[in-house]
Every structure is written in structure tokens, then in C-alpha cells.
């Protein structure tokens, strides 16, 4: 299929039948799932889903679908997929990724194996700053290729919506180039991409002696240009030790809001970021959350801000501690899961692997991990009206897994059992089913 026309190509209706377990994730209450609601998958057995025009048209039992007069009349024009009693669920919403980079960070990888810490590697010229030179020197086309490659790998593992951040340019020109590359790659991919401007990833070397001037540049030049050219929907800040302070984050959030952009932040990965000064800006999500305080957990339970946990980073950095998912869930904080796909701390495009880590290292139940990777991920991007559940009227984003029981998805770790991904009604990844 020619990549150029994917978004404009009118898709034929698609009918999935003989679904063993359809995880609808439907709910009567809007907003993110909290506490016990996170386990409710809304399972329909022997199910069918009809999609047309990029939307889900109907959801029900296979026998009812096959008796439906419209389906009977139009059957020849419909792409029919026999799911052979396997599991279908909403396509994953990966609400935290950094795909706009050029090279893997193999020197950092080996240094860490030899015992160096995250901050020690950054001090020695590795870390985020080492990816910056490559992005600044790369053509936009080269970046588009890298971002597109990441989106394809994600779709092959069941992801249909991706939040994609800039953040390895750290100059006006290279941040805009990164966001343009994300936009171009998004046009070539059938899934949905939400762009985030992360100029405040780390203070670049040339501003190290005067970080406030870099914050000025972000607020007075980068954000206005990003907003004017509609290159991002959110502004993100790495608010942690060695990156940006809460006060600097407040300035950046104010600039973002005055330009009509939503906000989100990396927090509590390395230290206890104070969250209360940031909550008044209603961030869509706070991500990482490893070192969140008791007081902030209680405050978050009263807000719509989603706590996005990225255990792939803990795994890859070889940390013993993982984000406190149980404490957050049991306190009523809405929790999402994401890959944090990036070259330094989490080079995985796989949501099923992240869900497996959530089960084994954070004591989340398989059902909780699935809701966190779908509907709550959609809430973290404020897309819950379109994404994250299988209901008539929502976007036709579905993933078919080789599994008789949904618990197999996080169970078979590091093994890709995704047979097919349907994104906005377009089949964009298929394994053995269509061979
Ligand atoms: Zn991140």
C-alpha cells in the first residue's frame, strides 16, 4: 500500500468475527479508571465488531452480526476476518514516547553494565546530550525515517495511538525539525499520533552556565513558534534533579497555556519533585512517579491528572525499585502504562512487554495492566472520547492477539503474539493470520 495516501484512502468495511474474548473496556462513567474500576474489561465472548469509515459501527455477538441485514447485503464488499476464537482488545495507547532520535546509545549501555549511574553517565557527556548532536546534524528526512520505523514497530505489537515527543534538538531549529519529522511520519502511518514539544528535556551544553536563559528561549521563542505552526498539542518538562526546577516548570507551563497548549511533565524519576505547585495547571499526566510522596498521592487522587508509569526504564536501567503502582491504584490515582520508548533508558516499542513488567514487578493484575495501556492511556492524552475502548462511534483501533485468554498477553513476555492491528479502520500490521 502506498504510504502517502494512507490517511485519505477510503477503507473498506472490516468485520471481525469469532472473537473468543472481546475486551471492550466500555464504561458508564467518563474519565480515567481508578481503584477497582481498573479491573473492569467489559468482556464479550463469541463477539464480532464491524468497522466502517475508520469508526467502530457495531459491537456484539458473532451470531447477531451474521444475521444483520446490512452485513448480509454488503458481505462481498466487507473485509471479513475470522479471529478463530482469539482475543481482541482496543489498540494500545502508548502515551509517552521519544522517537525523534538517530542512534542507539550503546556506549551508555556498556558503561551502565560496568556500574555507572544515570547521572554519572550524563556528567561524562553521555545521556540525553549525546543524542542531541546527532539530531542537530541530521536531515529532517533521516529523522522521518527513524520516527516512521518506530511507529511501524509499535503497530506490530498492537499499538494504534502514540504520543511522540521532540527533545533531542534543544535549539529552536532542531526542535522544530523534530516536530516536523514527527508530523510527516504521522501522515505516513495509519495510527494516530499526538505530538508533544519537549524542549525542556535537559539544559543544552551551551546554556549550562545560565539555564534561565534557556527557559527564556523556550518560553519566548520555541513555544510561540510551535503553537503558531500547530506542531504540538502538549508541552512537556523534565522536572527533576539535574533537569528543570518546579519554578522553571511553572514558567514553561504558563507560556504553554497562554498559547493554548496542554501540559504534562516527567516527574519523580530521580528525586521527589514537588507536584502541588504544578497541579493548578491541570497537567494531562505526570510521568515516571517513582519517588512520589504520600502527600502528593493523596492530592492526585482528587485530580484528573493521570500517573503514567514507564517500568521499561526501570528494567533497562537495572533498578531494583519500580514505580509504586499498587499504592497509586489503591489510593484512587488513575494510572496509565507507556513504553517511554527512547535511546537512553527504554529502547522498547512493546506495550505487551511493559504490561508484563507491570504485572511481575509492580503487582498490577493483567486486567489492570490492560486498562492502563488502553483507556487510561487515552485519558492521559485527553483522547478518551475517541480511543481506548471498543464502542460504537469510537475510532476503529483494534488489536488481535494469539491468545484464548487475555491474561496471556502479559504472560508470554518478550514474545510478539499480535496477529493483526487495525488503526483508524486500516489493517496496518498482520502476522501469520494473513500469510
Ligand atoms: Zn520520557
Amino acid at each position: 500500500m502506498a504510504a502517502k495516501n494512507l490517511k485519505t484512502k477510503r477503507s473498506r468495511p472490516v468485520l471481525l468475527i469469532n472473537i473468543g474474548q472481546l475486551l471492550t473496556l466500555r464504561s458508564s462513567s467518563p474519565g480515567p479508571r481508578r481503584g477497582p474500576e481498573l479491573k473492569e474489561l467489559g468482556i464479550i465472548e463469541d463477539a464480532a465488531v464491524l468497522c466502517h469509515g475508520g469508526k467502530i459501527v457495531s459491537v456484539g455477538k458473532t451470531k447477531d452480526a451474521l444475521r444483520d441485514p446490512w452485513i448480509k447485503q454488503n458481505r462481498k464488499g466487507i473485509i471479513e476476518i475470522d479471529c478463530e476464537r482469539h482475543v481482541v482488545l482496543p489498540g494500545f495507547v502508548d502515551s509517552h514516547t521519544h522517537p525523534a532520535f538517530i542512534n542507539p546509545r550503546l556506549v551508555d549501555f556498556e558503561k551502565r553494565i560496568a556500574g555507572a549511574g544515570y547521572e554519572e553517565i550524563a556528567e561524562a557527556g553521555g545521556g540525553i546530550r549525546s543524542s542531541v548532536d546527532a539530531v542537530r546534524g541530521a536531515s529532517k528526512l533521516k529523522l522521518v525515517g527513524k520516527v516512521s520505523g518506530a511507529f511501524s514497530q509499535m503497530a506490530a505489537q498492537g499499538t494504534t495511538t502514540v504520543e511522540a515527543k521532540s527533545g533531542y534538538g534543544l535549539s529552536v531549529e532542531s526542535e522544530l525539525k523534530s516536530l516536523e519529522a514527527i508530523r510527516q511520519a504521522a501522515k505516513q502511518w495509519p495510527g494516530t499520533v499526538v505530538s508533544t514539544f519537549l524542549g525542556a528535556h535537559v539544559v543544552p551544553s551551551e546554556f549550562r552556565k545560565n539555564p534561565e536563559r534557556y527557559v527564556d528561549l523556550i518560553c519566548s521563542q520555541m513555544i510561540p513558534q510551535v503553537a503558531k505552526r500547530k506542531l504540538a498539542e502538549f508541552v512537556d518538562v523534565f522536572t527533576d534533579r539535574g533537569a528543570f526546577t518546579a519554578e522553571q516548570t511553572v514558567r514553561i507551563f504558563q507560556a504553554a497555556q497562554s498559547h493554548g497548549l496542554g501540559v504534562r511533565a516527567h516527574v519523580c524519576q530521580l528525586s521527589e519533585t514537588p507536584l502541588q505547585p504544578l497541579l493548578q495547571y491541570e497537567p494531562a499526566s505526570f510521568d515516571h512517579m517513582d519517588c512520589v510522596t504520600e502527600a502528593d498521592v493523596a492530592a492526585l487522587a482528587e485530580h484528573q491528572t493521570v500517573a503514567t508509569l514507564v517500568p521499561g526504564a526501570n528494567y533497562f536501567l537495572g533498578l531494583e525499585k519500580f514505580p509504586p503502582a499498587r499504592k497509586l491504584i489503591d489510593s484512587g490515582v488513575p494510572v496509565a502504562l507507556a513504553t517511554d520508548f527512547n535511546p537512553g533508558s527504554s529502547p522498547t516499542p512493546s506495550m505487551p512487554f511493559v504490561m508484563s513488567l507491570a504485572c511481575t514487578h509492580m503487582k498490577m493484575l493483567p486486567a489492570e495492566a490492560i486498562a492502563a495501556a488502553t483507556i487510561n492511556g487515552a485519558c492521559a492524552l485527553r483522547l478518551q472520547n475517541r480511543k481506548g475502548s471498543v464502542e460504537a462511534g469510537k475510532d476503529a483501533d483494534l488489536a488481535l492477539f494469539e491468545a484464548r485468554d487475555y491474561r496471556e498477553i502479559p504472560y508470554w513476555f518478550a514474545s510478539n503474539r499480535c496477529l493483526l492491528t487495525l488503526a483508524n479502520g486500516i489493517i496496518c500490521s498482520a502476522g501469520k493470520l494473513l500469510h
Side-chain angles (χ1 to χ4, degrees):
M1 192 183 291
K4 277 181 201 156
N5 300 321
L6 272 177
K7 285 280 162 66
T8 48
K9 199 176 171 75
R10 266 187 75 88
S11 56
R12 281 167 66 195
V14 179
L15 175 65
L16 283 81
I17 56 166
N18 296 324
I19 301 168
Q21 289 184 336
L22 173 67
L23 317 184
T24 65
L25 278 295
R26 64 191 168 192
S27 167
S28 48
S29 56
R33 306 291 165 85
R34 301 169 192 265
E37 295 167 354
L38 200 63
K39 291 193 290 239
E40 291 167 14
L41 298 181
I43 297 177
I44 303 176
E45 294 186 340
D46 306 317
V49 183
L50 176 67
C51 306
H52 191 17
K55 298 283 178 190
I56 294 168
V57 177
S58 64
V59 180
K61 292 276 191 187
T62 297
K63 62 174 174 15
D64 296 330
L66 296 179
R67 280 202 294 254
D68 180 275
W70 188 89
I71 290 175
K72 276 164 100 172
Q73 211 172 20
N74 293 279
R75 202 130 177 216
K76 275 196 186 140
I78 295 174
I79 300 170
E80 193 172 292
I81 297 168
D82 184 345
C83 298
E84 298 176 347
R85 315 213 44 78
H86 291 302
V87 173
V88 170
L89 73 167
F92 299 123
V93 178
D94 191 349
S95 60
H96 181 147
T97 84
H98 304 250
F101 65 89
I102 299 294
N103 298 315
R105 288 218 295 264
L106 304 176
V107 174
D108 295 7
F109 185 40
E110 282 196 332
K111 273 190 182 166
R112 197 174 305 109
I113 293 164
Y118 180 92
E119 289 165 297
E120 204 179 323
I121 288 168
E123 290 293 314
I128 294 165
R129 288 186 188 92
S130 67
S131 292
V132 170
D133 291 344
V135 166
R136 287 181 177 176
S139 68
K140 187 166 77 182
L141 201 62
K142 179 142 192 191
L143 265 175
V144 173
K146 295 287 180 182
V147 176
S148 291
F151 290 165
S152 301
Q153 287 188 41
M154 290 165 181
Q157 307 228 17
T159 298
T160 51
T161 299
V162 176
E163 184 257 17
K165 306 174 197 291
S166 65
Y168 297 112
L170 308 186
S171 67
V172 175
E173 186 197 350
S174 294
E175 282 296 307
L176 295 176
K177 177 174 71 181
S178 299
L179 290 171
E180 283 168 359
I182 289 168
R183 178 152 75 184
Q184 205 162 317
K187 281 187 191 152
Q188 298 171 0
W189 189 56
T192 301
V193 176
V194 174
S195 298
T196 294
F197 165 65
L198 178 58
H201 201 183
V202 71
V203 177
S205 308
E206 61 271 26
F207 285 95
R208 250 182 142 175
K209 289 202 177 110
N210 196 347
E212 290 299 328
R213 274 195 42 229
Y214 184 60
V215 177
D216 292 344
L217 183 73
I218 289 171
C219 296
S220 66
Q221 289 195 45
M222 292 183 180
I223 289 174
Q225 291 198 46
V226 166
K228 189 171 167 215
R229 296 171 60 186
K230 296 189 172 24
L231 283 170
E233 285 144 74
F234 289 98
V235 171
D236 194 346
V237 181
F238 191 177
T239 315
D240 213 324
R241 193 171 68 205
F244 296 86
T245 64
E247 294 73 29
Q248 290 168 333
T249 305
V250 163
R251 284 182 60 202
I252 294 167
F253 278 7
Q254 285 173 342
Q257 291 201 334
S258 72
H259 285 88
L261 298 170
V263 297
R264 53 203 314 113
H266 288 63
V267 298
C268 304
Q269 182 184 6
L270 308 167
S271 63
E272 288 179 4
T273 308
L275 300 183
Q276 314 239 10
L278 309 181
L279 268 174
Q280 60 175 304
Y281 300 94
E282 294 175 15
S285 76
F286 281 141
D287 301 36
H288 285 283
M289 303 292 280
D290 297 59
C291 312
V292 65
T293 64
E294 294 282 350
D296 283 344
V297 170
L300 281 169
E302 307 297 321
H303 282 80
Q304 295 290 310
T305 300
V306 175
T308 302
L309 311 181
V310 291
N314 301 63
Y315 164 80
F316 191 73
L317 296 173
L319 306 181
E320 278 169 31
K321 269 191 72 183
F322 278 71
R326 274 279 46 101
K327 189 202 287 177
L328 291 162
I329 295 166
D330 297 341
S331 305
V333 178
V335 161
L337 288 168
T339 61
D340 193 12
F341 177 73
N342 80 80
S345 62
S346 191
T348 179
S350 173
M351 287 296 280
F353 177 59
V354 167
M355 290 155 63
S356 188
L357 286 176
C359 295
T360 58
H361 288 62
M362 288 152 53
K363 309 299 174 210
M364 287 174 69
L365 291 167
E368 293 175 325
I370 286 169
T374 54
I375 188 68
N376 275 14
C379 292
L381 298 179
R382 304 226 166 105
L383 287 178
Q384 63 268 32
N385 294 331
R386 285 172 52 201
K387 307 286 183 187
S389 65
V390 183
E391 294 174 273
K394 281 207 166 180
D395 293 347
D397 293 345
L398 300 166
L400 169 62
F401 273 78
E402 184 181 4
R404 303 281 172 197
D405 183 304
Y406 70 86
R407 291 172 293 189
E408 292 182 60
I409 297 171
Y411 174 90
W412 299 110
F413 80 96
S415 144
N416 187 11
R417 299 205 152 218
C418 181
L419 297 171
L420 181 143
T421 307
L422 194 70
N424 292 302
I426 299 167
I427 297 169
C428 64
S429 174
K432 41 187 127 153
L433 197 81
L434 298 186
H435 281 192

